[in-house]
Amino acid sequence: MNVSPIYDRVERKLDEQRNRELFRTTRPFKSSDEIDLSTNSYLALHANADVIAMAKTLINDNIHGNLASRLIAETSGLYSTIESEIASWEKTESSLLFTSGYAANVGVIQALCTKDTEIYCDRLNHASIYDGIALSGAKLVRYKHCDMTDLEQKLAVSENKERLIITDTIFSMDGDRAPLENIAELAKKYNCMVMIDEAHATGIFGRTASGLAEECGVEDSIDIRIGTLSKAIGGQGGYFAGSTRLRDYFVNFSRSFIYSTGLAHSSLAYSLAAIRYIRRNLSVGRNLIDRAEAFRHKINKTGISTLTSTTQIIPCLTETKARALHLSAFLSERGIYAPAIRPPTVPDGSARIRISYHAGLTEENEKFIIEQLSAWKKSHG
Ligand SMILES: Cc1ncc(COP(=O)(O)O)c(C=O)c1O
């Protein structure tokens, strides 16, 4: 049998990954009493009895998938309900669901941008944004993380007509916030379109918990809002919220929308229930942020840096990959799961463990976590 040289490359790349302490594995399901600091279910709605009861009514025994791409057929009956509720929540004309936040970012950017477009992209934006840019063929202009002077300098020297600024609103690994007011001002001054990714803000920030754009009062300056159903909502899927004209355009030109089966009915039912719960219980996001802030202060008191986090995402900086793995293992031996995050997910020299602060943590859990972080810092810091 011929052995393709592709296998040689596969072996070589895997060896490289192991030698650089970057080898990744999927984590088997472990039903235990472990304290989970890895979840993106920030509001713990996946375990909320009211949400589960509401979801069961909406599922109505239909656990099947959508059974075709949405342009061929919609079999759920919940798509238009959830899309109109998301549009009403986001106060936009329309919304469009994708099968994940990843698919939403890739599909929207690929459809909208061409080689004639310049995309101004925060260095720390999510990988799905970079993948969408690569697929679109647009010119990538990376600006320093949240650095508005750098962004303006780059905009000022460009003569390109088609320009789009893209930023995460809450950065997934640093837990800091994009300066949306300044971005909106620069977009106006330099006639740019703006796209934001609210993945980690949806359901938590803003008066009606629709995201950071609402909290900053800049919704009207944003052309494209991307949200996920996979983080605070605890479900699966991603969405665009904005004008009907753009929705029509994405339905016609977003390849990740057109060539992929729609979300399962059961998944839509769960997400709809969770969104309705959040909209009726607006204090849950605010409470989470207040509790996360107090927790972060306690971590800082142990001497561990949490970088520039001001949200529920709390990095604990270890700098080296080896120390990140060590801290993660140290916690794991004590019943706490906090994943090590290493390059290329974060820049070299900024390895860390990432703590996802969430509503499922008890005071007792918090006390125990702080004690363990403090013990690690004293013995290995
Ligand atoms: C900022 C950001 N955008 C998009 C995504 C992708 O969302 P999903 O997991 O729904 O594909 C993530 C998930 O990690 C994210 O952190």
Side-chain angles (χ1 to χ4, degrees):
M1 195 179 80
N2 271 349
V3 178
S4 164
I6 295 175
Y7 276 116
D8 294 338
R9 178 159 46 77
V10 167
E11 277 308 315
R12 213 173 42 248
K13 294 288 284 181
L14 284 174
D15 283 346
E16 257 173 48
Q17 201 74 346
R18 287 189 190 95
N19 294 339
R20 293 164 63 205
E21 294 171 323
L22 291 175
F23 190 71
R24 303 169 197 231
T25 54
T26 51
R27 216 175 169 251
F29 176 70
K30 215 167 117 200
S31 165
S32 74
D33 296 333
E34 198 174 50
I35 302 173
D36 183 8
L37 297 180
S38 72
T39 181
N40 287 325
S41 180
Y42 302 119
L43 301 174
L45 297 185
H46 67 283
N48 179 302
D50 292 342
V51 173
I52 294 167
M54 220 189 315
K56 278 185 178 159
T57 315
L58 289 164
I59 289 173
N60 198 19
D61 285 344
N62 295 327
I63 56 170
H64 57 74
N66 195 57
L67 314 177
S69 130
R70 278 181 74 198
L71 291 186
I72 307 289
E74 180 189 330
T75 56
S76 164
L78 286 182
Y79 260 109
S80 46
T81 311
I82 192 166
E83 285 182 347
S84 71
E85 292 202 19
I86 289 172
S88 134
W89 189 22
E90 294 274 359
K91 295 178 245 16
T92 51
E93 272 181 355
S94 278
S95 89
L96 179 68
L97 277 176
F98 290 74
T99 48
S100 67
Y102 182 93
N105 274 334
V106 168
V108 160
I109 300 169
Q110 161 271 315
L112 197 66
C113 302
T114 72
K115 64 176 178 30
D116 297 323
T117 318
E118 272 178 4
I119 300 181
Y120 293 79
C121 182
D122 188 291
R123 274 185 72 85
L124 296 192
N125 277 345
H126 189 257
S128 52
I129 292 175
Y130 282 100
D131 290 358
I133 297 171
L135 199 58
S136 74
K139 182 175 173 209
L140 168 64
V141 184
R142 296 214 300 176
Y143 62 88
K144 289 183 198 149
H145 178 51
C146 289
D147 185 332
M148 293 298 100
T149 310
D150 190 39
L151 174 58
E152 176 147 28
Q153 275 167 1
K154 291 186 158 71
L155 286 169
V157 295
S158 155
E159 287 175 1
N160 210 65
K161 290 204 174 64
E162 284 197 9
R163 294 187 289 185
L164 169 66
I165 302 173
I166 309 183
T167 186
D168 287 6
T169 60
I170 305 298
F171 288 88
S172 55
M173 293 298 144
D174 285 34
D176 54 348
R177 309 173 193 214
L180 291 185
E181 296 95 333
N182 302 328
I183 288 175
E185 266 171 40
L186 288 178
K188 194 165 170 215
K189 182 167 169 189
Y190 292 96
N191 191 27
C192 303
M193 217 167 161
V194 184
M195 167 172 164
I196 59 174
D197 178 352
E198 295 264 35
H200 296 277
T202 304
I204 299 174
F205 292 87
R207 195 177 52 78
T208 71
S210 74
L212 194 69
E214 181 182 44
E215 181 147 320
C216 298
V218 297
E219 298 115 297
D220 293 345
S221 312
I222 310 293
D223 300 279
I224 296 170
R225 279 185 245 161
I226 302 295
T228 49
L229 304 178
S230 59
K231 313 290 186 221
I233 289 166
Q236 191 176 23
Y239 63 83
F240 151 79
S243 67
T244 302
R245 178 164 59 158
L246 282 177
R247 182 188 190 276
D248 288 346
Y249 184 80
F250 297 138
V251 167
N252 282 276
F253 296 107
S254 282
R255 295 172 66 83
S256 64
F257 174 81
I258 299 169
Y259 298 109
S260 189
T261 301
L263 288 159
H265 176 86
S266 44
S267 181
L268 293 172
Y270 167 81
S271 295
L272 184 56
I275 289 172
R276 286 180 176 169
Y277 179 89
I278 291 171
R279 296 184 77 193
R280 287 175 200 157
N281 295 276
L282 291 174
S283 58
V284 289
R286 177 45 53 205
N287 287 346
L288 182 85
I289 294 308
D290 290 347
R291 284 179 59 191
E293 190 175 334
F295 186 63
R296 201 171 41 247
H297 282 309
K298 288 182 195 154
I299 296 179
N300 290 145
K301 279 198 184 146
T302 69
I304 293 175
S305 163
T306 54
L307 296 170
T308 48
S309 164
T310 59
T311 66
Q312 77 283 8
I313 298 170
I314 310 180
C316 290
L317 185 72
T318 58
E319 295 175 3
T320 67
K321 291 173 277 191
R323 278 164 57 79
L325 290 171
H326 185 270
L327 176 53
S328 182
F330 180 93
L331 293 174
S332 177
E333 280 157 19
R334 288 153 182 81
I336 300 168
Y337 178 50
I341 310 288
R342 295 164 282 167
T345 307
V346 292
D348 274 333
S350 72
R352 65 199 65 182
I353 60 159
R354 176 185 185 272
I355 291 183
S356 230
Y357 186 86
H358 59 85
L361 294 173
T362 62
E363 274 181 33
E364 203 182 307
N365 293 154
E366 288 186 22
K367 191 163 169 276
F368 183 65
I369 297 161
I370 297 293
E371 279 166 11
Q372 301 316 313
L373 286 173
S374 179
W376 181 82
K377 182 70 185 164
K378 279 194 189 112
S379 53
H380 300 90

